């Protein structure tokens, strides 16, 4: 594995007395394609929230490019290059699709023409036809694409896609996968959280599995698919 | 974009020119008294909308900022004889500081709590003024304004012109905020704070900026008031009516663009002014109440929503 | 025969029409799948049946025990009281109250209130996880847990017909299997009639007796298990709108 | 002046006043705290309730009896108000805070004027045998004028709270603001649940009105002075925590009474809000609210 | 008569808002207008009233008066009620050199010193300080050494309390307690306890109607020392029917300021006729049926304007003002002469003691003996009954 771009050491999160996550140790290499699976409620979204700074972990540290970012606010982390999409799309309502992309461009100190950058990212996710529509008018698939586009536009080093494919059809899943693959080829590490197994398996170089907040298995797609613990808790076989 | 800005600039110049020329063209002072109030509300509504409309944080405490501006300028004028423009500037600065303080105290919490907390600001400031005898306390304080400069025919006309300048400056500020990265960030905050934060928007800092700008405009709106009434007292300076008008006017006009509060204030304040001197009875307030209800019922998106789409938005 | 018939139903949002002359029927104790790709109007159709979306034309008639009722003019709660129930898209749980209160609330309308205890016991028996977590506030459960609660809740009104909108969205495979098992059991044990929208159709058609494919706002095809094994390719083509 | 009897009496007075504040805030706790409708007209409705009570006492009824009689008409008034509110916002699917505020502000202006046309703008008060005398316990002197209204609050609050937390229609009321569709799915009519809740909230206004007019005389515009305080109570209690609002109201009452006794009464209006600001800064979700 | 342009008289009245209880003054204006018009108008011109509602807010006042002057072209102005609402209009009339009758604004012209402004109220010169002097004269006569002063945190009460404290000092009394309280305070028990702790012999109270009720009830509930000889002073409220009716016997013993009471020394056919006509209108409008405090002086305002106009035979502000400065005017409130800033030359604020009130019937207040005039000596109809506790019980 290459030098980790993102590294978690003993990260832990509790809600009241309930421990939703951790302690978790996890490294993500630069340009890696990592899949995260796990039963519902196993703490995947909570993990993302700890990485991106939406939650403050109750213990442990998060390192990005070797630097401890545990104390940084979410927007600082986003500017450093940690981007995410939300499990439930959260478009900036009251703005056009194009303006949605201008927001990260305004705040993430991107060089060059914002206009060109936004247009090319929208083209790459196939939203060119929708640029000047209000984001309220988008369909579910388009909303997911917008989530991705907004995450991509700031030139992140790590992209975290939280169930970006839930509810999409096979063809649409292929589309989204293609976007993610293309992105990864340009050197971005992609963390994919997904319940759609075949997509995770196809995409990931490495898959980790969570169960009740802990990382219980890690390996290549096929290793994970064969992993007895994973089979028990996740596939239920 | 470019074209819109040029048009806006032309509009600003025309309005400013009118503000300076009208006093010489129109001899009847009444229109300047009434016009002053309308413009004061244009400024208040515009200032309120920077935080309330763009960022979605409802401020019940507009009267707190307004009253702070009123008292600060009355105090600076009566004790140091500061000229009006400096009083306005000082009020704007103090308004901004108050806005930031208020923001620090409450902005970490969600919208509705913020709204209620701002209600408190008014009462706290009013209580403080009540207990400072140097500000006249409850009895109020007479303020005999300066002689108007030679280019203005009289005090009411001078106050009017000053208010025109403040209103135009506020509207220009609001428009700049709206079309700039600040406005975009604020709208993102309004849609989803988490998503904005994860897109690199420093939400807290941005909201503080909005609080400061909004507070500055609201306080500036109050600065010439002592010279308008020649008298300040806590009850009217911190009046509930100001806080409610500050909300009702943008609502009637529309909160998404700078045009909305302007239209809403022009309309509602004029209706109130006219109603005061025509329907001279309890029915006057009944009428204003009915107008509010009717607007909410029949034009819920505000007047500017009735006319076509949002203007001045970035398009590729 | 007891059934639900939909005839020439059209519906949409404002100027956008989503459903165009959709007709289908659902017979007592049958499990029918409604397949279709994203945005083709499955949820719109299901919401029409429950009265959340108003039909612009057509009829939805419930023929049950010799009584015929047109549902298109009724309010959602009236339709629920006729014995229909829904597991909606997005779950629509009450976020700020506990799991148990969510269930109790659903069982509190005057028609079923006196059977609340049995209904609640039945839900907990079917979904033991909910019994474990019955004091947890609904919004703090994970996506999948909430889905189970939404399904359990639909049972609380003791429905004749359950309409389920994409039960597998966001669920781990192990849970999907459990959910589908539970749904199948509902039909088998309790003689429930079920209409289930799905786009990941593999599992859905395994447990259904019939399937409709909805594309471009109208029914493209109907598949029956009695016609023999259903070819996945054919379904896929129908879903894409090819005939 | 720092004698123990002044301190004790100040605390007791504070508790009683606070309890009256809690009465005023109760209806808002339902409409704003639970239904999330910022009913800024609630204090005006309380004043309307006070005038109702006043009218009946002119015929020789006891104010509390008058308030109980008023429950039904005020419940119906609330139902009508909500029906109007929802009719206004139905087409839009729902109201935002801004629109509701403006609507209720307009409504409160209308109610104030109707009251002032109907009753004149003079102060009105009730005279009952127990008003003017006090209960003396040792060094404590407790005026019945405060004691009786103060006892109304815990009773009404307990009744409303039990209703909301123990009955299924109470659960429905708590649920409806968050997820209307969940009620439809349960076979309940969300519109009628909200109407009912609004009716209950408005019905409490007549009880609060009785308390208000027993404490002191009122005029049609008296509601304006209460707006800030009642909102502060509802928010500090944590939006919708009904028992919490009683505690908060009493804390505010005691603080005000202590400030009046030991500092200067003219500082006391700031007290409720100093507490509010402090409370929100330290515990944004309100003192009794769950984290949201 | 009909050909001539009418004389217009402009005023703003608080029809709505917190000061709406003063709107019964408007009946005074209207009765005056009807009377002059019935008598052929002024200078053969009809009199027309132009009245707007200022909603009790000073913010509305400048525009209203500019409308009255610049659009409606009024010849005579009456000020809004009280000093706070009048203050915004003072620089305006001074700068435009207009003629105005002031309505109940205490010391309203002390700053502007406008020479065309005349008070309709009986405050007298130095009113800011002296208008409640009667109370302290009575206290002095009783040998009071220790006095407590409380006031509402509102303009009128504050001025009264401030003036009172100065007079107390002048008379060598010790102010043992001096505190202001916010408007709408509804409980005074702790304040009354604090007052008792100071052991005063007189309590001077400057309050507004709602607090007046609360204070009187609070005293009854908490009790007060037998040493207190005088209680009251500047309480607004017990002059109005609403409070007289609702408090009834609880008011006995109170010594309070007033502007008019139906005692033999004040009762004249003219004022009786005024009230005979006032009452039915007030009942119809739902305002104070007694109307002793404010309405007569609104009628007086009209009479002053009428005298100025007919006396100077013009509506020219300077001539009208000159006439009022030079001549005393007969009004329903007696003969009035003005000093150079428009104060009555002689203070005629009454200190009355409420006595012998039984039940809540309002009609009893129309009879003499219930509001006995103690001061000024020229109008005196009785002697102080003291101490307060004893007077209260009688
Ligand atoms: N409330 C609404 N207002 C306007 N358009 C809507 C609304 N809800 C859905 N639509 C549009 O109607 C169409 C059909 O949506 P519907 O949700 O019924 O599809 P679906 O088949 O259930 O898709 P999904 O797989 O996303 O659930 C889509 O184009 C969608 O954008
Ligand atoms: N704000 C919160 N308060 C209390 N508990 C929470 C909160 N957020 C999450 N949880 C709990 O933490 C656990 C982990 O939740 P999380 O959302 O991270 O799961 P997940 O792996 O993303 O599940 P899913 O696949 O269903 O989305 C769950 O049991 C959930 O109930
Ligand atoms: Mg998740
Ligand atoms: Mg759907």
């Amino acid at each position: 594995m290459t030098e980790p771009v993102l590294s978690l050491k003993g990260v832990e999160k509790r809600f009241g007395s309930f421990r939703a996550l951790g302690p978790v140790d996890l490294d993500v290499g630069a340009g890696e394609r990592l899949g995260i699976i796990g039963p519902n409620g196993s703490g995947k979204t909570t993990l993302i929230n700890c990485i991106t700074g939406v939650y403050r972990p109750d213990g442990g540290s998060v390192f990005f490019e070797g630097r401890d970012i545990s104390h940084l606010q979410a927007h600082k982390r986003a500017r450093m290059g940690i981007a995410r999409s939300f499990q439930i799309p959260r478009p900036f309502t009251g703005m056009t699709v194009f303006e949605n992309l201008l927001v990260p461009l305004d705040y993430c100190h991107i060089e060059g023409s914002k206009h060109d950058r936004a247009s090319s990212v929208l083209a790459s996710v196939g939203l060119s036809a929708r640029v000047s529509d209000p984001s309220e008018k988008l369909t579910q698939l388009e909303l997911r694409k917008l989530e991705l586009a907004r995450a991509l536009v700031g030139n992140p080093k790590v992209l975290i896609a939280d169930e970006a494919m839930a509810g999409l059809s096979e063809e649409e899943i292929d589309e989204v996968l293609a976007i993610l693959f293309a992105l990864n080829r340009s050197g971005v590490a992609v963390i994919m959280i997904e319940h759609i197994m075949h997509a995770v398996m196809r995409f990931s170089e490495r898959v980790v599995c969570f169960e009740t907040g802990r990382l219980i298995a890690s390996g290549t797609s096929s290793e994970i698919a064969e992993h007895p613990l994973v089979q028990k808790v996740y596939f239920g076989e | 974009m470019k074209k819109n800005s040029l048009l806006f600039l032309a509009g600003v110049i025309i309005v400013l020119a009118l503000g300076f020329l009208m006093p010489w063209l129109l001899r009847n002072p009444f229109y300047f008294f009434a016009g002053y109030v309308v413009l004061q509300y244009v400024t208040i509504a515009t200032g309120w909308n920077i935080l309330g409309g763009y960022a979605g944080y409802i401020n019940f405490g507009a009267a707190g900022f307004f009253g702070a501006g009123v008292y600060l300028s009355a105090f600076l004028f009566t004790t140091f004889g500061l000229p009006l423009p400096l009083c306005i500037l000082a009020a704007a600065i103090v308004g901004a500081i108050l806005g930031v303080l208020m923001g620090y105290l409450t902005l970490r919490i969600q919208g509705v709590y913020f709204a209620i907390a701002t209600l408190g600001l008014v009462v706290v400031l009013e209580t403080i003024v009540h207990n400072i005898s140097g500000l006249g306390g409850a009895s109020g304080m007479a303020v005999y304004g300066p002689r108007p400069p030679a280019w203005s025919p009289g005090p009411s006309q001078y106050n009017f012109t000053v208010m025109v300048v403040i209103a135009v400056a506020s509207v220009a500020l609001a428009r700049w905020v709206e079309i700039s990265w600040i406005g975009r960030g604020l709208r993102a905050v309004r849609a989803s704070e988490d998503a904005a934060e994860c897109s690199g928007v420093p939400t807290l800092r941005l909201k503080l900026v909005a609080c400061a700008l909004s507070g500055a405009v609201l306080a500036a709106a109050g600065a010439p008031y002592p010279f308008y009434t020649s008298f300040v007292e806590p009850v009217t300076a911190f009046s509930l009516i100001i806080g409610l008008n500050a909300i009702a006017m943008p609502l009637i006009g529309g909160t998404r663009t700078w045009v909305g509060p302007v239209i809403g204030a022009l309309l509602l304040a004029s209706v109130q002014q006219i109603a005061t001197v025509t329907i001279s009875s309890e029915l006057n307030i009944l009428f204003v109440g009915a107008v509010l209800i009717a607007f909410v019922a029949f034009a819920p998106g505000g007047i500017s929503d009735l006319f076509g789409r949002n203007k001045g938005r970035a398009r590729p | 025969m007891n059934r639900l018939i939909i005839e020439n139903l059209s519906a949409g949002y404002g100027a956008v029409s989503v459903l165009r002359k959709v007709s289908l029927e659902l017979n007592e104790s049958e499990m029918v799948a409604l397949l279709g790709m994203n945005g083709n109007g499955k949820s719109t159709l299901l919401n029409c049946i429950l009265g959340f979306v108003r039909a612009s034309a057509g009829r939805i008639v419930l023929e049950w025990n010799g009584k015929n009722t047109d549902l298109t003019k009724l309010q959602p709660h009236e339709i629920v009281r006729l014995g229909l129930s829904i597991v909606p898209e997005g779950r629509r749980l009450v976020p700020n109250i506990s799991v148990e209160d969510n269930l109790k609330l659903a069982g509190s309308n005057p028609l079923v209130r006196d059977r609340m205890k049995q209904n609640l016991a039945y839900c907990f028996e079917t979904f033991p996880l909910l019994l474990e977590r019955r004091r947890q506030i609904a919004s703090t459960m994970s996506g999948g847990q909430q889905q189970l609660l939404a399904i359990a809740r639909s049972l609380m009104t003791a429905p004749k017909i359950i309409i389920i909108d994409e039960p597998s969205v966001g669920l781990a495979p192990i849970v999907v299997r459990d959910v589908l098992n539970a749904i199948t059991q509902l039909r088998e044990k309790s003689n429930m009639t079920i209409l289930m929208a799905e786009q990941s159709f593999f599992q859905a058609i395994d447990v259904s007796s019939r399937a409709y494919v909805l594309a471009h706002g109208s029914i493209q095809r109907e598949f029956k298990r009695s016609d023999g094994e259903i070819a996945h390719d054919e379904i896929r083509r129908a879903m894409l709108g090819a005939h | 002046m720092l004698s123990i009897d002044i301190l004790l009496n100040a605390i007791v007075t504070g508790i009683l006043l606070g309890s009256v504040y809690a009465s005023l805030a109760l209806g808002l706790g339902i409409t704003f705290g639970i239904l999330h409708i910022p009913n800024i007209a609630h204090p005006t409705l309380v004043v309307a309730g006070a005038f109702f009570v006043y009218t009946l006492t002119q015929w020789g009824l006891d104010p509390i009896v008058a308030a109980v009689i008023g429950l039904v008409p005020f419940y119906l008034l609330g139902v009508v108000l909500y029906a109007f509110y929802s009719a206004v916002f139905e087409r839009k699917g729902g109201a935002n805070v801004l629109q509701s505020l403006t609507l209720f502000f307009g409504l409160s202006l209308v109610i104030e004027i109707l009251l002032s046309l109907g009753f004149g703008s003079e102060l009105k008060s009730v005279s009952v045998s127990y008003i003017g005398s006090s209960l003396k316990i040792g060094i404590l002197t407790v005026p019945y004028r405060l004691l009786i209204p103060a006892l109304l609050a815990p009773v009404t609050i307990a009744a409303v709270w039990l209703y909301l937390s123990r009955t299924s229609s109470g659960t429905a009321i708590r649920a409806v603001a968050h997820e209307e569709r969940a009620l439809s799915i349960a076979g309940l009519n969300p519109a009628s649940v909200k109407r009912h809740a609004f009716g209950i909230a408005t019905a409490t206004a007549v009880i609060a009105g009785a308390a208000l007019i027993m404490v002191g005389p009122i005029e049609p515009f008296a509601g304006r002075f209460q707006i800030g305080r009642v909102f502060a109570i509802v928010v500090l209690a944590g939006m919708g925590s009904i028992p919490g609002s009683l505690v908060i109201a009493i804390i505010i009452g005691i603080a005000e009474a202590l400030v009046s006794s030991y500092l200067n009464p003219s500082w006391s209006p700031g007290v409720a809000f100093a507490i509010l600001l402090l409370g929100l800064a330290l515990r944004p979700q309100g003192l009794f609210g769950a984290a949201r | 008569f009909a050909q001539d342009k009418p004389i217009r008289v402009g005023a703003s009245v608080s029809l709505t808002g917190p000061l709406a209880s003063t709107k019964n003054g408007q009946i005074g204006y209207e009765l005056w207008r009807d009377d002059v018009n019935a008598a052929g108008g002024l200078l053969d011109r009809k009199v027309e009233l132009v009245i707007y509602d200022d909603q009790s807010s000073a913010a509305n006042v400048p525009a209203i008066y500019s409308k009255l002057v610049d659009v409606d072209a009024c010849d005579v102005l009456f000020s809004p009620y009280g000093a706070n609402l009048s203050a915004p209009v003072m620089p305006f009339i001074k700068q435009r050199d207009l003629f105005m009758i002031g309505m109940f604004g205490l010391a309203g012209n002390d700053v502007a010193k406008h020479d065309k402004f005349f008070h309709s109220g009986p405050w007298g010169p130095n009113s800011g300080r002296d208008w409640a002097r009667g109370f302290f004269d009575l206290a002095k006569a009783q040998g009071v050494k220790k006095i407590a002063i409380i006031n509402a945190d509102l303009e009128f009460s504050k001025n009264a309390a401030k003036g009172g404290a100065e007079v107390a000092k002048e008379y060598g009394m010790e102010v043992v307690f001096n505190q202001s309280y916010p408007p709408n305070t509804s409980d005074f028990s702790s304040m009354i306890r604090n007052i008792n702790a100071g052991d005063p012999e007189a309590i001077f109270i400057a309050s507004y109607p709602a607090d007046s009720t609360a204070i009187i009830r609070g005293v009854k509930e908490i009790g007060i020392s037998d040493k207190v000889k005088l209680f009251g002073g500047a309480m607004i409220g017990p002059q109005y029917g609403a409070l007289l009716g609702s408090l009834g016997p609880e008011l006995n013993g109170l010594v309070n300021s007033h502007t008019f009471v139906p005692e033999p020394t004040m009762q004249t056919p003219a004022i009786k006729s005024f009230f005979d006509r006032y009452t039915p209108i007030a009942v119809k409008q739902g305002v104070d049926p007694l109307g002793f405090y404010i309405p007569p002086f609104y009628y007086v305002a009209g009479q002053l304007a009428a005298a100025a106009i007919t006396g100077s035979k013009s509506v020219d502000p300077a001539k009208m003002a000159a006439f009022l400065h030079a001549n005393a005017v007969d009004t329903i409130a007696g003969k009035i002469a003005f000093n150079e800033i428009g104060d009555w030359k002689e203070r005629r604020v009454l200190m009355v003691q409420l006595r012998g009130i039984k039940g809540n019937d309002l009609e009893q207040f129309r009879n003499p003996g219930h509001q006995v005039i103690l001061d000024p000596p020229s109008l005196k109809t009785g002697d102080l009954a003291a101490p307060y506790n004893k007077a209260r019980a009688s």
Side-chain angles (χ1 to χ4, degrees), chain B residues 14-165:
Chain B
I14 291 172
V15 173
L16 282 179
L18 280 177
F20 281 89
L21 290 179
M22 285 287 271
W24 297 102
L25 301 175
L26 198 64
R27 303 306 313 195
N28 194 328
F30 167 65
Y31 299 105
F32 299 100
F33 277 104
Y36 175 92
V37 178
V38 174
L39 287 169
Q40 169 190 304
Y41 277 119
V42 168
T43 313
I44 290 176
T46 300
W48 183 92
N49 201 49
I50 292 178
L51 187 63
Y54 301 160
Y57 275 79
I58 291 175
N59 176 3
F60 278 116
F65 294 91
F66 178 85
V70 169
Y71 267 95
L72 185 76
S73 113
F75 171 75
L76 291 178
F77 177 75
T78 49
T79 40
F80 303 113
L82 224 59
L84 181 51
L86 286 184
C87 289
I88 296 169
L89 195 69
I93 293 171
V94 167
I97 294 173
L98 260 182
V100 172
L101 280 179
M102 190 68 211
Y104 251 116
L105 216 57
T106 55
L107 272 180
R108 288 165 300 131
I109 40 188
Q110 291 298 307
V112 59
Y113 299 104
F114 171 81
I116 304 303
T118 56
L119 250 179
L121 177 76
V122 187
V123 184
V124 168
L125 288 179
E126 193 177 346
T127 307
I128 292 174
V129 168
H130 262 272
N131 285 287
I132 297 181
S133 51
L135 296 177
S139 330
M141 161 162 88
V143 181
Y144 283 80
R147 298 178 59 82
W151 50 261
S152 188
S156 56
Q157 289 86 345
Y158 176 58
N159 289 332
F160 173 81
T161 307
V162 167
M163 209 61 227
V164 169
V165 176

Side-chain angles (χ1 to χ4, degrees), chain E residues 73-96:
Chain E
C74 290
D75 304 292
V76 172
L77 298 176
F78 295 155
S79 86
Y81 179 85
N84 271 12
L85 290 185
S86 303
V89 82
M90 294 309 293
F92 177 78
I93 58 161
K94 177 150 184 154
Q95 183 209 356
R96 306 278 291 268

Side-chain angles (χ1 to χ4, degrees), chain D:
Chain D
M1 257 204 256
L2 293 169
S3 64
I4 183 83
D5 70 319
I6 287 186
L7 175 70
L8 269 183
N9 278 299
I11 290 176
V12 170
T13 308
I15 292 174
L16 300 184
L17 270 185
S19 183
V20 173
Y21 296 158
S23 271
L24 302 189
L26 176 59
L28 194 71
I30 299 172
T31 50
F32 183 53
I34 297 175
L35 298 185
H36 295 193
I37 299 173
N39 180 7
I40 200 165
H42 185 74
T44 310
L45 287 170
V46 171
V47 172
F51 274 98
F52 179 90
V53 170
Y54 167 79
T55 310
L56 292 201
T57 53
Q58 293 308 98
W59 304 339
L61 282 178
D62 183 90
I64 297 178
V65 177
V68 173
I69 294 173
L71 287 176
V72 174
F74 270 74
Y75 174 86
L76 294 176
L77 173 69
V79 166
V80 170
L81 282 182
Y82 183 79
F84 173 67
Y85 170 85
S86 67
V88 164
F89 292 118
E90 222 155 50
R91 280 170 299 124
K92 280 283 285 183
N96 62 33
V97 181
L98 215 63
Q99 292 167 337
S100 317
L101 271 177
T102 314
L103 182 77
F104 283 109
F105 173 47
L107 216 64
S108 72
L109 290 183
V110 171
I111 296 173
E112 279 175 356
I113 296 302
L114 293 180
L115 285 178
S116 120
L117 289 176
F119 292 90
S121 36
E122 303 281 320
L123 285 169
K124 298 278 187 283
S125 56
V126 294
S127 28
V128 200
S129 55
Y130 46 79
I131 289 181
S133 49
S134 318
L135 178 68
K136 294 211 163 51
I137 319 166
I139 53 170
L140 285 179
T141 320
V142 186
Y144 287 112
R145 181 176 58 85
L146 286 179
L147 185 61
I148 307 279
L151 290 178
L152 281 179
V155 174
T156 356
I157 286 176
V160 168
W161 181 63
L162 283 177
Y163 180 76
L164 287 179
S165 58
R166 295 294 152 82
T167 67
S168 54
S169 22
T171 310
I173 289 176
R174 286 185 294 139
V176 72
H178 289 279
E179 191 49 78
E180 207 167 300
R181 205 166 273 195
L183 292 195
S184 298
I185 292 171
L188 301 168
N189 185 358
S192 73
V193 168
K194 286 197 210 166
R195 271 201 303 271
H196 176 56
F198 214 90
I200 293 176
T202 311
T204 68
V206 75
I207 305 259
L212 197 63
I213 200 168
M214 275 193 267
V215 171
I218 50 128
E219 38 94 19
F221 301 93
R224 296 187 179 180
F225 303 103
Q226 303 294 345
I227 291 178
R229 200 186 277 121
V230 293
F231 269 92
I233 290 171
V234 172
V235 168
L236 265 179
M239 294 290 283
S241 164
I242 303 287
S245 68
L246 180 62
V247 178
I248 291 293
I250 286 177
I251 292 177
I252 289 180
I254 293 177
E256 284 185 358
L258 289 180
V259 170
S260 307
S261 283
Y262 291 111
L263 189 58
N264 190 322
S266 59
W267 283 104
S268 70
V271 169
F273 291 98
I275 294 179
L276 172 74
L277 293 181
L278 222 76
L280 287 180
L282 298 178
R283 219 184 123 82
Q285 66 274 40
L287 293 185
F288 297 90
R292 301 210 299 166

Side-chain angles (χ1 to χ4, degrees), chain A residues 175-192:
Chain A
E175 257 183 79
V176 173
L177 274 179
I179 295 170
L180 293 179
F181 267 117
L183 185 71
N184 178 254
R185 273 195 297 278
S186 65
V188 179
V190 178
I191 301 175
M192 174 195 276

Side-chain angles (χ1 to χ4, degrees), chain A residues 45 87 162-163:
Chain A
T45 302
Q87 183 167 356
D162 193 358
E163 300 204 27

Side-chain angles (χ1 to χ4, degrees), chain A residues 40-41 167-169 172 195 233-234 236, chain C residues 38 142 144 170 172-174 177 199:
Chain A
N40 300 111
L168 301 191
S169 69
E172 291 161 349
H195 286 305
V233 304
Y234 194 52
Chain C
N38 200 267
S142 81
I174 182 174
R177 207 199 51 188
Q199 47 182 307

